[in-house]
Amino acid sequence: MSGFTRSSQLSPLLRRQYLASLEEPQEWFLEELVGLGQVWTHEDGSYGVTNEKTLVEFFSADPTNAEKLLHDFWGQHCFSTALVKSYDYDFVRSCENLGWTSSVGGFLFRKRKPRGQAAFDGAEIRSTTPTDVHVIWQINDNFFDNEDEVANLAVSNKLWTVTVDGEIAGCGVSNRVIKKSDAVDVGMMVASKFRRRGLGTYIVSEIAARIEREGLRPICGCGASNLASKATLEKAGFVSDHQLLSFTP
């Protein structure tokens, strides 16, 4: 068999097969990395997606051959890191069997305990308007990459503006990453002057509750070092049974 070859795009059929093999839904962060990555396919139906020097997705239709294929793929492309969801069991097992070193890079939240109605004095959440976009970008603190990202989320009705006594104090994001999935990725950003007062918990709780009322499933995640964000999500009822693992060959 030949090695992995560069493909112009990822096969929708293979991608659906991969997503169906997962016990839990995919999140927005990794979907973005996959969308911006380079696709490499094998003639047996396996594929890998790299983003610079990171392997962000790997799938073998034959799990019994996954370890060998992953080893061959690394030998061909020499990526420095593999990001693996802990519920992507075949990928995790292959990395472990190859003796790669792992660390926890993030916490993945796929469950939420029932919560009462969220509240924060003077706070309101509404759909983002075009005039909100620049203000939200100005209070951004490494949450968004650029102002166009804010504008695109607003236009697609995925961005919520949060005000406190009429002043824009932050925002929330609700992004249905994969259309045929019931999972909606939730995120929030709070302006520095409004932090440590429970506003982040209010934003996440309120948006998650709205998603649940539509019969959908809110999911989210945060970096392992972002303990403040982890605490906020847990206060909003989210429970993390899974992690984003970083494997080093």
Side-chain angles (χ1 to χ4, degrees):
M1 285 188 178
S2 60
F4 288 81
T5 58
R6 177 74 183 273
S7 300
S8 59
Q9 61 181 2
L10 186 53
S11 162
L13 179 61
L14 279 177
R15 190 83 204 295
R16 286 196 296 271
Q17 189 176 353
Y18 167 69
L19 293 173
S21 75
L22 300 177
E23 181 180 276
E24 298 288 354
Q26 177 77 301
E27 63 278 344
W28 180 21
F29 169 69
L30 285 178
E31 280 295 307
E32 284 192 308
L33 292 181
V34 170
L36 296 172
Q38 296 180 341
V39 179
W40 307 87
T41 57
H42 195 278
E43 60 187 26
D44 76 342
S46 302
Y47 74 84
V49 181
T50 57
N51 192 301
E52 297 182 352
K53 297 293 289 183
T54 300
L55 178 62
V56 295
E57 195 164 285
F58 181 81
F59 175 65
S60 173
D62 178 9
T64 62
N65 200 35
E67 182 181 329
K68 180 184 182 303
L69 285 170
L70 180 59
H71 179 270
D72 292 346
F73 188 60
W74 174 70
Q76 184 176 345
H77 297 287
C78 296
F79 48 84
S80 58
T81 304
L83 293 181
V84 189
K85 300 172 290 291
S86 62
Y87 52 83
D88 189 346
Y89 301 119
D90 291 332
F91 197 178
V92 170
R93 188 179 305 110
S94 295
C95 292
E96 290 178 338
N97 289 344
L98 289 170
W100 294 358
T101 303
S102 69
S103 60
V104 176
F107 298 101
L108 305 179
F109 297 84
R110 297 295 180 269
K111 296 178 182 177
R112 183 172 181 260
K113 298 176 182 177
R115 281 299 209 242
Q117 184 67 35
F120 188 95
D121 288 344
E124 294 183 2
I125 297 180
R126 57 172 170 77
S127 297
T128 299
T129 66
T131 56
D132 296 336
V133 170
H134 186 61
V135 180
I136 291 174
W137 172 245
Q138 286 182 315
I139 63 174
N140 177 57
D141 185 14
N142 297 318
F143 186 77
F144 300 107
D145 291 331
N146 51 62
E147 191 168 347
D148 285 342
E149 181 184 1
V150 182
N152 290 336
L153 287 169
V155 168
S156 56
N157 297 315
K158 298 175 181 178
L159 189 65
W160 302 86
T161 296
V162 180
T163 62
V164 175
D165 297 327
E167 178 181 357
I168 293 180
C171 65
V173 178
S174 56
N175 192 352
R176 193 170 185 176
V177 181
I178 299 169
K179 292 181 179 179
K180 292 187 177 181
S181 170
D182 67 349
V184 182
D185 204 308
V186 175
M188 63 82 194
M189 185 267 294
V190 177
S192 57
K193 64 180 286 187
F194 291 96
R195 292 176 187 164
R196 298 181 181 85
R197 294 164 52 185
L199 183 59
T201 299
Y202 165 76
I203 296 172
V204 174
S205 298
E206 179 63 22
I207 292 177
R210 294 183 185 192
I211 291 168
E212 290 166 344
R213 287 196 292 270
E214 294 178 6
L216 300 174
R217 177 185 181 188
I219 66 172
C220 51
C222 68
S225 62
N226 194 344
L227 298 182
S229 181
K230 181 175 183 289
T232 294
L233 295 172
E234 289 173 341
K235 288 176 183 176
F238 283 97
V239 177
S240 175
D241 291 334
H242 302 283
Q243 298 83 41
L244 181 62
L245 303 174
S246 178
F247 280 92
T248 303

